[in-house]
Amino acid sequence: LLIFTQGILGPEEAQGFFQSEAARQGKAGFLPDTTSDFIEALERRLAGAVGAATAHAMIAQFAGGAVVSAEDLMAVASEAQQIMEYSAALQAKTDELARTARALSEANDKLTDLSVQKDAFLSQISHELRTPMTSIRAFSGILAEPDLPDDLRARYTGVIQAEAERLTRLLDDLLDLAVLENRKVQLSIRAGNLHDLIGRAVEAASNVRAERQLRLVRNPGAEFLPVITDTDRLVQVFINLISNARKYCDAAEPVLKIAARRKAGRITIDFIDNGAGIPKKAQGLIFEKFARLTDTSRAGGAGLGLAICREIMTNLGGGITYL
């Protein structure tokens, strides 16, 4: 019985139990007498590990050589089934906890990335605000000089105007994003044609780094689709996506394909360039307002374009993904 019990409970627990039962009987060592009280106590101890019916059947065989009845076997089978079900439920719970742990780890990694991006964003915003303000102050002081030649006065006035416009665009983006995030934007819903809206966006985006050639591929026939939306906001999304392709596509000869299609009552527009694309890990991060994947000096601006796109599409009831 001691060897059998050690196989189920382990040597330390089994020997401790047998020793305590022997002491209860006034005996030294690990071998108590197999009295009815001891057998009942042993069955109760084993029942917690293998089930009451299984423990009873096992002890009956070892202690008294009794024949196990069909009822005993049915009870053992029932307990085995319950143990299997419990084990399956425990495994499912373990798998669920593992999935939750992975999700929490991914969320933590994303928050860490966002924290780093936030610091970089604030540093960049400080630079973007300080640079035009410094230029405006410096050239304004020069313009105050009475003997400044007219050609220089005109030149410095142009610099001040350009820097003021750049500062205004940055502030507009920040304010626009704040309004969109708070869902306080006033939408101007009207009917339009998708072909015309894409055309407007292409023309406007051509002014962004116009010196960098980007070949556009379109299917005008597929674009003639009626839409009812805030057309100005939708054009703003298109402009940002086209501008991003022009600025970030790393192909030797950048190409952007714009493809529109209708499916299941919805319109999908794909903007597909021939660059390396966004790494999978960054695809969920790229739409955050603090996220930048490249050096800001390479692209210019504060990197709010995709964050604004996402918020506009959310307000319009649509969606946007970056693959």
Side-chain angles (χ1 to χ4, degrees):
L1 279 174
L2 176 57
I3 295 173
F4 161 72
T5 304
Q6 287 181 144
I8 296 176
L9 301 181
E12 185 175 350
E13 184 176 349
Q15 291 173 17
F17 172 76
F18 272 67
Q19 187 176 26
S20 66
E21 290 297 315
R24 195 188 308 277
Q25 295 176 4
K27 298 182 64 176
F30 297 91
L31 299 176
D33 294 331
T34 54
T35 63
S36 60
D37 290 341
F38 169 71
I39 295 301
E40 290 179 4
L42 182 57
E43 279 191 22
R44 289 194 299 271
R45 192 60 172 265
L46 294 177
V50 297
T54 303
H56 176 73
M58 288 178 172
I59 295 299
Q61 289 292 311
F62 275 95
V67 177
V68 179
S69 66
E71 288 76 9
D72 290 335
L73 292 176
M74 291 295 292
V76 170
S78 177
E79 284 185 345
Q81 179 63 30
Q82 291 175 9
I83 292 173
M84 290 176 62
E85 292 175 355
Y86 176 76
S87 178
L90 186 61
Q91 183 61 47
K93 193 68 176 177
T94 301
D95 293 341
E96 181 182 354
L97 289 174
R99 288 193 297 270
T100 302
R102 286 195 299 270
L104 288 174
S105 178
E106 291 173 0
N108 183 66
D109 290 343
K110 183 176 180 181
L111 287 174
T112 301
D113 291 341
L114 283 176
S115 178
V116 174
Q117 294 288 353
K118 180 179 180 180
D119 292 341
F121 172 83
L122 293 176
S123 176
Q124 176 66 16
I125 287 297
S126 299
H127 172 75
E128 291 289 338
L129 291 173
R130 187 182 297 111
T131 299
M133 289 301 299
T134 300
S135 296
I136 291 171
R137 290 179 59 186
F139 286 105
S140 295
I142 296 175
L143 288 178
E145 297 179 5
D147 56 348
L148 187 68
D150 291 340
D151 58 336
L152 290 181
R153 188 179 301 275
R155 177 183 171 185
Y156 296 157
T157 300
V159 172
I160 292 174
Q161 183 177 356
E163 291 298 288
E165 290 175 353
R166 182 156 71 97
L167 183 60
T168 300
R169 286 195 300 270
L170 175 60
L171 294 176
D172 285 344
D173 282 347
L174 290 171
L175 293 174
D176 203 17
L177 185 58
V179 170
L180 289 166
E181 287 181 331
N182 292 325
R183 305 294 183 265
K184 294 180 179 179
V185 61
Q186 296 295 320
L187 298 177
S188 178
I189 305 299
R190 67 187 72 178
N193 187 285
L194 185 61
H195 173 75
D196 297 336
L197 301 184
I198 294 176
R200 284 172 51 190
V202 169
E203 183 177 357
S206 63
N207 296 322
V208 180
R209 293 197 69 181
E211 74 282 0
R212 189 164 191 259
Q213 295 298 317
L214 175 69
R215 183 166 67 88
L216 289 175
V217 178
R218 297 171 58 186
N219 182 1
E223 296 175 359
F224 280 93
L225 298 171
V227 292
I228 299 178
T229 185
D230 187 322
T231 55
D232 290 337
R233 291 288 183 180
L234 189 57
V235 168
Q236 184 180 0
V237 171
F238 294 163
I239 292 172
N240 287 355
L241 294 177
I242 297 170
S243 299
N244 263 29
R246 186 184 299 275
K247 290 186 290 186
Y248 296 113
C249 180
D250 55 4
E253 297 181 359
V255 178
L256 175 64
K257 178 182 178 182
I258 303 176
R261 64 185 185 278
R262 183 194 294 273
K263 183 178 181 181
R266 296 178 64 85
I267 295 175
T268 300
I269 307 103
D270 293 325
F271 291 78
I272 309 169
D273 67 43
N274 60 337
I278 301 297
K280 185 169 180 150
K281 180 181 177 182
Q283 289 177 12
L285 183 69
I286 192 64
F287 292 102
E288 301 296 337
K289 60 185 176 182
F290 301 128
R292 292 299 298 267
L293 298 186
T294 60
D295 182 11
T296 55
S297 62
R298 170 188 166 188
L304 299 176
L306 288 182
I308 291 175
C309 287
R310 182 184 64 177
E311 294 302 329
I312 289 176
M313 294 307 298
T314 300
N315 279 272
L316 294 178
I320 183 169
T321 58
Y322 209 119
L323 303 179

